Amino acid sequence: RSVALDSTASGRLAAAQTLPPIGVTAAANDIPLRLLDFERRRRTGRGQYLTEDDILQLNAYNLADAVKGMRGVTYECGGGGGCYIRMTRAPMRCLPEYVVDDHVQNDFGPYTPIRDIVGVEVYTGASEVPGEYAGRNAGCGVVVIWTRAGPDKRKP
């Protein structure tokens, strides 16, 4: 069976309409694709952020040293448990969730070498944690770490 498709109301075939060309220009994006979400969240103003340049200016020795001056963040040592980052609004013995290159890494996160870090996001409580990181420990805070060796995201 032959089927004829006709997009005109009168039933006659009409010639395609030619539209004028449009020039598209845009500045090149110099942000690595995998850090686009980091930059998007940084522009929202929720949470606190450090870029690689910020970390270099702080001359930080480790991750805790880099974030200890942030609002709502404390660095506690002693009691035989070593040193750790804790959010002042979090309940006692409630450590933040660590996300490294978009994966929860509570064992490696606090010990990520500072020279491998290109971006840090710190959320001190559940009210400022973005949805993509709002897990069961969001009330204890979330520290998101972006490393230079992280996998590249695919283009959308």
mmCIF file of all heavy atoms in Angstrom, residues 54-107:
data_model
loop_
_atom_site.group_PDB
_atom_site.id
_atom_site.type_symbol
_atom_site.label_atom_id
_atom_site.label_comp_id
_atom_site.label_asym_id
_atom_site.label_seq_id
_atom_site.Cartn_x
_atom_site.Cartn_y
_atom_site.Cartn_z
ATOM 1 N N ASP A 54 42.692 28.898 44.691
ATOM 2 C CA ASP A 54 42.452 29.208 46.108
ATOM 3 C C ASP A 54 43.315 28.324 47.005
ATOM 4 O O ASP A 54 43.906 28.795 47.981
ATOM 5 C CB ASP A 54 40.977 28.990 46.481
ATOM 6 C CG ASP A 54 40.031 29.911 45.740
ATOM 7 O OD1 ASP A 54 40.444 31.029 45.374
ATOM 8 O OD2 ASP A 54 38.876 29.501 45.523
ATOM 9 N N ILE A 55 43.390 27.040 46.677
ATOM 10 C CA ILE A 55 44.174 26.101 47.482
ATOM 11 C C ILE A 55 45.652 26.459 47.444
ATOM 12 O O ILE A 55 46.335 26.434 48.473
ATOM 13 C CB ILE A 55 43.936 24.652 46.995
ATOM 14 C CG1 ILE A 55 42.479 24.249 47.273
ATOM 15 C CG2 ILE A 55 44.901 23.678 47.664
ATOM 16 C CD1 ILE A 55 42.049 22.973 46.582
ATOM 17 N N LEU A 56 46.145 26.846 46.265
ATOM 18 C CA LEU A 56 47.551 27.244 46.153
ATOM 19 C C LEU A 56 47.837 28.509 46.964
ATOM 20 O O LEU A 56 48.885 28.628 47.599
ATOM 21 C CB LEU A 56 47.931 27.450 44.686
ATOM 22 C CG LEU A 56 48.017 26.173 43.847
ATOM 23 C CD1 LEU A 56 48.205 26.515 42.379
ATOM 24 C CD2 LEU A 56 49.123 25.272 44.353
ATOM 25 N N GLN A 57 46.914 29.470 46.960
ATOM 26 C CA GLN A 57 47.097 30.696 47.735
ATOM 27 C C GLN A 57 47.091 30.431 49.236
ATOM 28 O O GLN A 57 47.795 31.096 49.989
ATOM 29 C CB GLN A 57 46.012 31.719 47.395
ATOM 30 C CG GLN A 57 46.217 32.381 46.067
ATOM 31 C CD GLN A 57 45.121 33.381 45.753
ATOM 32 O OE1 GLN A 57 44.115 33.469 46.443
ATOM 33 N NE2 GLN A 57 45.318 34.150 44.702
ATOM 34 N N LEU A 58 46.307 29.441 49.670
ATOM 35 C CA LEU A 58 46.259 29.104 51.093
ATOM 36 C C LEU A 58 47.530 28.402 51.549
ATOM 37 O O LEU A 58 47.816 28.354 52.740
ATOM 38 C CB LEU A 58 45.057 28.191 51.384
ATOM 39 C CG LEU A 58 43.683 28.830 51.324
ATOM 40 C CD1 LEU A 58 42.603 27.761 51.382
ATOM 41 C CD2 LEU A 58 43.510 29.843 52.440
ATOM 42 N N ASN A 59 48.275 27.839 50.595
ATOM 43 C CA ASN A 59 49.484 27.083 50.914
ATOM 44 C C ASN A 59 49.166 25.977 51.929
ATOM 45 O O ASN A 59 49.902 25.753 52.885
ATOM 46 C CB ASN A 59 50.595 28.000 51.412
ATOM 47 C CG ASN A 59 51.956 27.369 51.256
ATOM 48 O OD1 ASN A 59 52.140 26.461 50.453
ATOM 49 N ND2 ASN A 59 52.916 27.844 52.033
ATOM 50 N N ALA A 60 48.044 25.297 51.703
ATOM 51 C CA ALA A 60 47.557 24.273 52.625
ATOM 52 C C ALA A 60 48.407 23.011 52.539
ATOM 53 O O ALA A 60 48.874 22.625 51.475
ATOM 54 C CB ALA A 60 46.105 23.946 52.306
ATOM 55 N N TYR A 61 48.558 22.358 53.677
ATOM 56 C CA TYR A 61 49.329 21.126 53.778
ATOM 57 C C TYR A 61 48.482 19.895 53.446
ATOM 58 O O TYR A 61 48.962 18.921 52.900
ATOM 59 C CB TYR A 61 49.900 21.017 55.197
ATOM 60 C CG TYR A 61 50.675 19.766 55.450
ATOM 61 C CD1 TYR A 61 51.921 19.562 54.860
ATOM 62 C CD2 TYR A 61 50.168 18.774 56.276
ATOM 63 C CE1 TYR A 61 52.629 18.396 55.086
ATOM 64 C CE2 TYR A 61 50.868 17.606 56.513
ATOM 65 C CZ TYR A 61 52.102 17.430 55.914
ATOM 66 O OH TYR A 61 52.806 16.273 56.130
ATOM 67 N N ASN A 62 47.186 19.952 53.797
ATOM 68 C CA ASN A 62 46.267 18.853 53.511
ATOM 69 C C ASN A 62 44.854 19.424 53.358
ATOM 70 O O ASN A 62 44.644 20.622 53.492
ATOM 71 C CB ASN A 62 46.327 17.772 54.597
ATOM 72 C CG ASN A 62 46.058 18.317 55.978
ATOM 73 O OD1 ASN A 62 45.310 19.282 56.153
ATOM 74 N ND2 ASN A 62 46.665 17.718 56.987
ATOM 75 N N LEU A 63 43.892 18.555 53.109
ATOM 76 C CA LEU A 63 42.512 18.992 52.890
ATOM 77 C C LEU A 63 41.942 19.719 54.103
ATOM 78 O O LEU A 63 41.331 20.775 53.979
ATOM 79 C CB LEU A 63 41.635 17.791 52.536
ATOM 80 C CG LEU A 63 40.147 18.077 52.368
ATOM 81 C CD1 LEU A 63 39.910 19.012 51.192
ATOM 82 C CD2 LEU A 63 39.369 16.786 52.198
ATOM 83 N N ALA A 64 42.161 19.173 55.292
ATOM 84 C CA ALA A 64 41.644 19.799 56.513
ATOM 85 C C ALA A 64 42.233 21.186 56.710
ATOM 86 O O ALA A 64 41.540 22.115 57.135
ATOM 87 C CB ALA A 64 41.934 18.918 57.718
ATOM 88 N N ASP A 65 43.497 21.342 56.377
ATOM 89 C CA ASP A 65 44.163 22.636 56.483
ATOM 90 C C ASP A 65 43.537 23.640 55.508
ATOM 91 O O ASP A 65 43.405 24.823 55.821
ATOM 92 C CB ASP A 65 45.655 22.451 56.197
ATOM 93 C CG ASP A 65 46.495 23.637 56.613
ATOM 94 O OD1 ASP A 65 46.106 24.346 57.560
ATOM 95 O OD2 ASP A 65 47.556 23.847 55.996
ATOM 96 N N ALA A 66 43.117 23.169 54.353
ATOM 97 C CA ALA A 66 42.519 24.049 53.349
ATOM 98 C C ALA A 66 41.133 24.540 53.752
ATOM 99 O O ALA A 66 40.772 25.686 53.482
ATOM 100 C CB ALA A 66 42.447 23.335 52.006
ATOM 101 N N VAL A 67 40.341 23.695 54.411
ATOM 102 C CA VAL A 67 38.953 24.063 54.722
ATOM 103 C C VAL A 67 38.742 24.572 56.139
ATOM 104 O O VAL A 67 37.650 25.011 56.481
ATOM 105 C CB VAL A 67 37.985 22.885 54.444
ATOM 106 C CG1 VAL A 67 38.052 22.465 52.998
ATOM 107 C CG2 VAL A 67 38.231 21.728 55.372
ATOM 108 N N LYS A 68 39.782 24.543 56.985
ATOM 109 C CA LYS A 68 39.577 24.898 58.392
ATOM 110 C C LYS A 68 39.143 26.349 58.607
ATOM 111 O O LYS A 68 38.520 26.649 59.609
ATOM 112 C CB LYS A 68 40.829 24.592 59.220
ATOM 113 C CG LYS A 68 41.998 25.491 58.948
ATOM 114 C CD LYS A 68 43.181 25.092 59.792
ATOM 115 C CE LYS A 68 44.388 25.945 59.466
ATOM 116 N NZ LYS A 68 45.567 25.485 60.170
ATOM 117 N N GLY A 69 39.402 27.231 57.669
ATOM 118 C CA GLY A 69 38.982 28.621 57.810
ATOM 119 C C GLY A 69 37.583 28.898 57.301
ATOM 120 O O GLY A 69 37.097 30.028 57.376
ATOM 121 N N MET A 70 36.904 27.886 56.817
ATOM 122 C CA MET A 70 35.552 28.089 56.280
ATOM 123 C C MET A 70 34.539 28.204 57.411
ATOM 124 O O MET A 70 34.713 27.624 58.479
ATOM 125 C CB MET A 70 35.164 26.931 55.360
ATOM 126 C CG MET A 70 35.925 26.905 54.074
ATOM 127 S SD MET A 70 35.300 25.555 53.042
ATOM 128 C CE MET A 70 36.019 25.997 51.490
ATOM 129 N N ARG A 71 33.477 28.931 57.138
ATOM 130 C CA ARG A 71 32.403 29.124 58.103
ATOM 131 C C ARG A 71 31.736 27.783 58.405
ATOM 132 O O ARG A 71 31.386 27.024 57.509
ATOM 133 C CB ARG A 71 31.421 30.129 57.495
ATOM 134 C CG ARG A 71 30.029 30.110 57.954
ATOM 135 C CD ARG A 71 29.121 31.054 57.157
ATOM 136 N NE ARG A 71 29.198 30.992 55.719
ATOM 137 C CZ ARG A 71 28.617 30.059 54.969
ATOM 138 N NH1 ARG A 71 27.933 29.087 55.518
ATOM 139 N NH2 ARG A 71 28.716 30.102 53.657
ATOM 140 N N GLY A 72 31.614 27.452 59.686
ATOM 141 C CA GLY A 72 30.919 26.251 60.111
ATOM 142 C C GLY A 72 31.734 24.975 60.054
ATOM 143 O O GLY A 72 31.180 23.891 60.208
ATOM 144 N N VAL A 73 33.043 25.083 59.836
ATOM 145 C CA VAL A 73 33.904 23.901 59.732
ATOM 146 C C VAL A 73 34.931 23.932 60.860
ATOM 147 O O VAL A 73 35.555 24.956 61.109
ATOM 148 C CB VAL A 73 34.638 23.868 58.373
ATOM 149 C CG1 VAL A 73 35.576 22.673 58.277
ATOM 150 C CG2 VAL A 73 33.647 23.862 57.231
ATOM 151 N N THR A 74 35.088 22.808 61.554
ATOM 152 C CA THR A 74 36.122 22.700 62.576
ATOM 153 C C THR A 74 37.048 21.549 62.232
ATOM 154 O O THR A 74 36.670 20.609 61.522
ATOM 155 C CB THR A 74 35.535 22.466 63.985
ATOM 156 O OG1 THR A 74 34.811 21.240 63.982
ATOM 157 C CG2 THR A 74 34.640 23.605 64.409
ATOM 158 N N TYR A 75 38.251 21.628 62.757
ATOM 159 C CA TYR A 75 39.267 20.606 62.545
ATOM 160 C C TYR A 75 39.655 20.122 63.923
ATOM 161 O O TYR A 75 40.198 20.873 64.717
ATOM 162 C CB TYR A 75 40.452 21.233 61.802
ATOM 163 C CG TYR A 75 41.589 20.308 61.487
ATOM 164 C CD1 TYR A 75 41.393 19.116 60.818
ATOM 165 C CD2 TYR A 75 42.888 20.644 61.849
ATOM 166 C CE1 TYR A 75 42.454 18.287 60.510
ATOM 167 C CE2 TYR A 75 43.956 19.818 61.540
ATOM 168 C CZ TYR A 75 43.724 18.641 60.871
ATOM 169 O OH TYR A 75 44.770 17.821 60.568
ATOM 170 N N GLU A 76 39.316 18.873 64.243
ATOM 171 C CA GLU A 76 39.523 18.362 65.586
ATOM 172 C C GLU A 76 40.553 17.250 65.593
ATOM 173 O O GLU A 76 40.559 16.388 64.713
ATOM 174 C CB GLU A 76 38.200 17.854 66.163
ATOM 175 C CG GLU A 76 37.172 18.958 66.304
ATOM 176 C CD GLU A 76 35.859 18.463 66.881
ATOM 177 O OE1 GLU A 76 35.762 17.276 67.244
ATOM 178 O OE2 GLU A 76 34.927 19.273 66.950
ATOM 179 N N CYS A 77 41.407 17.274 66.608
ATOM 180 C CA CYS A 77 42.435 16.246 66.779
ATOM 181 C C CYS A 77 42.391 15.743 68.219
ATOM 182 O O CYS A 77 41.977 16.459 69.119
ATOM 183 C CB CYS A 77 43.827 16.805 66.516
ATOM 184 S SG CYS A 77 44.109 17.277 64.816
ATOM 185 N N GLY A 78 42.856 14.529 68.401
ATOM 186 C CA GLY A 78 42.967 13.999 69.755
ATOM 187 C C GLY A 78 42.052 12.824 70.002
ATOM 188 O O GLY A 78 41.258 12.428 69.151
ATOM 189 N N GLY A 79 42.197 12.245 71.162
ATOM 190 C CA GLY A 79 41.365 11.118 71.557
ATOM 191 C C GLY A 79 41.764 9.813 70.903
ATOM 192 O O GLY A 79 41.000 8.866 70.906
ATOM 193 N N GLY A 80 42.926 9.771 70.281
ATOM 194 C CA GLY A 80 43.402 8.545 69.656
ATOM 195 C C GLY A 80 42.800 8.253 68.297
ATOM 196 O O GLY A 80 43.184 7.299 67.640
ATOM 197 N N GLY A 81 41.870 9.075 67.855
ATOM 198 C CA GLY A 81 41.226 8.832 66.562
ATOM 199 C C GLY A 81 41.836 9.609 65.422
ATOM 200 O O GLY A 81 41.329 9.562 64.312
ATOM 201 N N GLY A 82 42.895 10.341 65.695
ATOM 202 C CA GLY A 82 43.491 11.158 64.640
ATOM 203 C C GLY A 82 42.777 12.480 64.485
ATOM 204 O O GLY A 82 41.967 12.872 65.320
ATOM 205 N N CYS A 83 43.069 13.161 63.428
ATOM 206 C CA CYS A 83 42.451 14.463 63.150
ATOM 207 C C CYS A 83 41.387 14.298 62.076
ATOM 208 O O CYS A 83 41.506 13.468 61.185
ATOM 209 C CB CYS A 83 43.509 15.447 62.676
ATOM 210 S SG CYS A 83 44.797 15.765 63.896
ATOM 211 N N TYR A 84 40.332 15.095 62.181
ATOM 212 C CA TYR A 84 39.256 15.000 61.212
ATOM 213 C C TYR A 84 38.512 16.323 61.097
ATOM 214 O O TYR A 84 38.554 17.170 61.976
ATOM 215 C CB TYR A 84 38.291 13.878 61.583
ATOM 216 C CG TYR A 84 37.766 13.952 62.996
ATOM 217 C CD1 TYR A 84 36.602 14.644 63.282
ATOM 218 C CD2 TYR A 84 38.455 13.349 64.044
ATOM 219 C CE1 TYR A 84 36.127 14.732 64.581
ATOM 220 C CE2 TYR A 84 37.981 13.430 65.345
ATOM 221 C CZ TYR A 84 36.827 14.117 65.604
ATOM 222 O OH TYR A 84 36.361 14.208 66.883
ATOM 223 N N ILE A 85 37.806 16.473 59.985
ATOM 224 C CA ILE A 85 36.961 17.639 59.729
ATOM 225 C C ILE A 85 35.581 17.323 60.289
ATOM 226 O O ILE A 85 35.068 16.221 60.113
ATOM 227 C CB ILE A 85 36.865 17.913 58.216
ATOM 228 C CG1 ILE A 85 38.227 18.269 57.632
ATOM 229 C CG2 ILE A 85 35.848 19.009 57.933
ATOM 230 C CD1 ILE A 85 38.234 18.346 56.121
ATOM 231 N N ARG A 86 34.992 18.306 60.946
ATOM 232 C CA ARG A 86 33.632 18.156 61.457
ATOM 233 C C ARG A 86 32.900 19.464 61.250
ATOM 234 O O ARG A 86 33.481 20.536 61.331
ATOM 235 C CB ARG A 86 33.660 17.791 62.944
ATOM 236 C CG ARG A 86 32.342 17.221 63.441
ATOM 237 C CD ARG A 86 32.435 16.706 64.866
ATOM 238 N NE ARG A 86 32.491 17.777 65.840
ATOM 239 C CZ ARG A 86 31.435 18.509 66.212
ATOM 240 N NH1 ARG A 86 30.265 18.303 65.674
ATOM 241 N NH2 ARG A 86 31.568 19.451 67.109
ATOM 242 N N MET A 87 31.619 19.378 60.983
ATOM 243 C CA MET A 87 30.786 20.567 60.810
ATOM 244 C C MET A 87 30.233 20.963 62.173
ATOM 245 O O MET A 87 29.801 20.104 62.943
ATOM 246 C CB MET A 87 29.644 20.311 59.829
ATOM 247 C CG MET A 87 30.089 19.766 58.493
ATOM 248 S SD MET A 87 31.313 20.805 57.679
ATOM 249 C CE MET A 87 31.926 19.703 56.440
ATOM 250 N N THR A 88 30.265 22.245 62.476
ATOM 251 C CA THR A 88 29.840 22.701 63.796
ATOM 252 C C THR A 88 28.355 22.438 64.048
ATOM 253 O O THR A 88 27.958 22.242 65.187
ATOM 254 C CB THR A 88 30.137 24.198 63.995
ATOM 255 O OG1 THR A 88 29.530 24.944 62.939
ATOM 256 C CG2 THR A 88 31.628 24.455 64.017
ATOM 257 N N ARG A 89 27.537 22.420 63.014
ATOM 258 C CA ARG A 89 26.101 22.173 63.188
ATOM 259 C C ARG A 89 25.764 20.695 63.304
ATOM 260 O O ARG A 89 24.645 20.336 63.626
ATOM 261 C CB ARG A 89 25.313 22.752 62.011
ATOM 262 C CG ARG A 89 25.412 24.234 61.906
ATOM 263 C CD ARG A 89 24.470 24.827 60.901
ATOM 264 N NE ARG A 89 24.419 24.125 59.631
ATOM 265 C CZ ARG A 89 23.688 24.515 58.605
ATOM 266 N NH1 ARG A 89 22.960 25.603 58.710
ATOM 267 N NH2 ARG A 89 23.676 23.841 57.484
ATOM 268 N N ALA A 90 26.726 19.824 63.031
ATOM 269 C CA ALA A 90 26.467 18.383 63.030
ATOM 270 C C ALA A 90 26.436 17.841 64.456
ATOM 271 O O ALA A 90 27.113 18.353 65.345
ATOM 272 C CB ALA A 90 27.542 17.668 62.228
ATOM 273 N N PRO A 91 25.676 16.784 64.684
ATOM 274 C CA PRO A 91 25.669 16.141 66.006
ATOM 275 C C PRO A 91 27.057 15.577 66.346
ATOM 276 O O PRO A 91 27.885 15.359 65.465
ATOM 277 C CB PRO A 91 24.655 15.001 65.844
ATOM 278 C CG PRO A 91 23.873 15.323 64.623
ATOM 279 C CD PRO A 91 24.742 16.169 63.764
ATOM 280 N N MET A 92 27.286 15.297 67.615
ATOM 281 C CA MET A 92 28.561 14.726 68.061
ATOM 282 C C MET A 92 28.867 13.429 67.302
ATOM 283 O O MET A 92 27.969 12.659 67.006
ATOM 284 C CB MET A 92 28.513 14.421 69.557
ATOM 285 C CG MET A 92 28.468 15.659 70.427
ATOM 286 S SD MET A 92 29.985 16.596 70.357
ATOM 287 C CE MET A 92 31.061 15.565 71.306
ATOM 288 N N ARG A 93 30.133 13.217 67.034
ATOM 289 C CA ARG A 93 30.636 12.020 66.349
ATOM 290 C C ARG A 93 29.996 11.806 64.984
ATOM 291 O O ARG A 93 29.900 10.686 64.492
ATOM 292 C CB ARG A 93 30.439 10.780 67.211
ATOM 293 C CG ARG A 93 31.237 10.826 68.477
ATOM 294 C CD ARG A 93 31.184 9.482 69.186
ATOM 295 N NE ARG A 93 31.813 9.593 70.485
ATOM 296 C CZ ARG A 93 31.164 9.619 71.632
ATOM 297 N NH1 ARG A 93 29.862 9.523 71.655
ATOM 298 N NH2 ARG A 93 31.816 9.729 72.769
ATOM 299 N N CYS A 94 29.538 12.850 64.385
ATOM 300 C CA CYS A 94 28.909 12.769 63.069
ATOM 301 C C CYS A 94 29.872 13.385 62.066
ATOM 302 O O CYS A 94 30.049 14.599 62.030
ATOM 303 C CB CYS A 94 27.579 13.521 63.083
ATOM 304 S SG CYS A 94 26.630 13.384 61.572
ATOM 305 N N LEU A 95 30.535 12.543 61.284
ATOM 306 C CA LEU A 95 31.520 13.014 60.318
ATOM 307 C C LEU A 95 30.861 13.242 58.968
ATOM 308 O O LEU A 95 29.909 12.550 58.606
ATOM 309 C CB LEU A 95 32.657 11.996 60.190
ATOM 310 C CG LEU A 95 33.454 11.759 61.466
ATOM 311 C CD1 LEU A 95 34.503 10.687 61.248
ATOM 312 C CD2 LEU A 95 34.103 13.049 61.947
ATOM 313 N N PRO A 96 31.366 14.201 58.207
ATOM 314 C CA PRO A 96 30.754 14.483 56.902
ATOM 315 C C PRO A 96 30.954 13.344 55.914
ATOM 316 O O PRO A 96 31.853 12.522 56.065
ATOM 317 C CB PRO A 96 31.482 15.750 56.439
ATOM 318 C CG PRO A 96 32.783 15.722 57.142
ATOM 319 C CD PRO A 96 32.522 15.061 58.458
ATOM 320 N N GLU A 97 30.105 13.334 54.921
ATOM 321 C CA GLU A 97 30.238 12.393 53.807
ATOM 322 C C GLU A 97 31.283 12.977 52.853
ATOM 323 O O GLU A 97 31.295 14.176 52.614
ATOM 324 C CB GLU A 97 28.894 12.287 53.087
ATOM 325 C CG GLU A 97 28.851 11.262 52.004
ATOM 326 C CD GLU A 97 28.213 9.990 52.502
ATOM 327 O OE1 GLU A 97 28.854 9.315 53.336
ATOM 328 O OE2 GLU A 97 27.103 9.697 52.076
ATOM 329 N N TYR A 98 32.177 12.140 52.347
ATOM 330 C CA TYR A 98 33.188 12.582 51.384
ATOM 331 C C TYR A 98 32.845 12.009 50.024
ATOM 332 O O TYR A 98 32.606 10.816 49.882
ATOM 333 C CB TYR A 98 34.584 12.114 51.797
ATOM 334 C CG TYR A 98 35.140 12.895 52.952
ATOM 335 C CD1 TYR A 98 34.901 12.500 54.261
ATOM 336 C CD2 TYR A 98 35.892 14.042 52.747
ATOM 337 C CE1 TYR A 98 35.400 13.219 55.332
ATOM 338 C CE2 TYR A 98 36.396 14.772 53.806
ATOM 339 C CZ TYR A 98 36.141 14.352 55.093
ATOM 340 O OH TYR A 98 36.632 15.076 56.146
ATOM 341 N N VAL A 99 32.818 12.883 49.028
ATOM 342 C CA VAL A 99 32.553 12.486 47.652
ATOM 343 C C VAL A 99 33.773 12.890 46.836
ATOM 344 O O VAL A 99 34.138 14.067 46.809
ATOM 345 C CB VAL A 99 31.274 13.170 47.114
ATOM 346 C CG1 VAL A 99 31.026 12.788 45.667
ATOM 347 C CG2 VAL A 99 30.076 12.839 47.983
ATOM 348 N N VAL A 100 34.419 11.921 46.183
ATOM 349 C CA VAL A 100 35.600 12.193 45.370
ATOM 350 C C VAL A 100 35.245 11.903 43.920
ATOM 351 O O VAL A 100 34.865 10.776 43.585
ATOM 352 C CB VAL A 100 36.810 11.342 45.817
ATOM 353 C CG1 VAL A 100 38.018 11.636 44.947
ATOM 354 C CG2 VAL A 100 37.129 11.591 47.280
ATOM 355 N N ASP A 101 35.370 12.922 43.080
ATOM 356 C CA ASP A 101 35.051 12.798 41.649
ATOM 357 C C ASP A 101 33.689 12.144 41.428
ATOM 358 O O ASP A 101 33.533 11.217 40.637
ATOM 359 C CB ASP A 101 36.154 12.031 40.913
ATOM 360 C CG ASP A 101 37.467 12.809 40.891
ATOM 361 O OD1 ASP A 101 37.415 14.043 40.786
ATOM 362 O OD2 ASP A 101 38.531 12.176 40.996
ATOM 363 N N ASP A 102 32.695 12.618 42.171
ATOM 364 C CA ASP A 102 31.293 12.199 42.047
ATOM 365 C C ASP A 102 30.993 10.797 42.583
ATOM 366 O O ASP A 102 29.961 10.224 42.261
ATOM 367 C CB ASP A 102 30.818 12.306 40.598
ATOM 368 C CG ASP A 102 29.775 13.393 40.422
ATOM 369 O OD1 ASP A 102 29.381 14.015 41.423
ATOM 370 O OD2 ASP A 102 29.347 13.623 39.284
ATOM 371 N N HIS A 103 31.882 10.229 43.403
ATOM 372 C CA HIS A 103 31.643 8.926 44.022
ATOM 373 C C HIS A 103 31.904 9.031 45.517
ATOM 374 O O HIS A 103 32.904 9.609 45.933
ATOM 375 C CB HIS A 103 32.544 7.850 43.420
ATOM 376 C CG HIS A 103 32.333 7.653 41.951
ATOM 377 N ND1 HIS A 103 31.229 7.019 41.440
ATOM 378 C CD2 HIS A 103 33.067 8.038 40.883
ATOM 379 C CE1 HIS A 103 31.300 7.007 40.128
ATOM 380 N NE2 HIS A 103 32.405 7.626 39.765
ATOM 381 N N VAL A 104 31.023 8.453 46.325
ATOM 382 C CA VAL A 104 31.214 8.464 47.775
ATOM 383 C C VAL A 104 32.484 7.686 48.099
ATOM 384 O O VAL A 104 32.635 6.538 47.688
ATOM 385 C CB VAL A 104 29.998 7.859 48.504
ATOM 386 C CG1 VAL A 104 30.256 7.772 49.998
ATOM 387 C CG2 VAL A 104 28.747 8.675 48.222
ATOM 388 N N GLN A 105 33.402 8.328 48.830
ATOM 389 C CA GLN A 105 34.700 7.727 49.168
ATOM 390 C C GLN A 105 35.071 8.131 50.587
ATOM 391 O O GLN A 105 36.018 8.880 50.794
ATOM 392 C CB GLN A 105 35.786 8.219 48.210
ATOM 393 C CG GLN A 105 35.579 7.863 46.780
ATOM 394 C CD GLN A 105 36.247 6.556 46.435
ATOM 395 O OE1 GLN A 105 37.249 6.185 47.021
ATOM 396 N NE2 GLN A 105 35.677 5.851 45.493
ATOM 397 N N ASN A 106 34.343 7.665 51.579
ATOM 398 C CA ASN A 106 34.604 8.063 52.955
ATOM 399 C C ASN A 106 35.939 7.554 53.487
ATOM 400 O O ASN A 106 36.479 8.099 54.438
ATOM 401 C CB ASN A 106 33.467 7.620 53.864
ATOM 402 C CG ASN A 106 32.224 8.443 53.627
ATOM 403 O OD1 ASN A 106 32.296 9.647 53.413
ATOM 404 N ND2 ASN A 106 31.074 7.790 53.632
ATOM 405 N N ASP A 107 36.488 6.501 52.890
ATOM 406 C CA ASP A 107 37.774 5.995 53.363
ATOM 407 C C ASP A 107 38.944 6.783 52.774
ATOM 408 O O ASP A 107 39.908 7.080 53.461
ATOM 409 C CB ASP A 107 37.918 4.505 53.046
ATOM 410 C CG ASP A 107 37.667 4.190 51.580
ATOM 411 O OD1 ASP A 107 37.147 5.047 50.856
ATOM 412 O OD2 ASP A 107 37.988 3.057 51.163
#
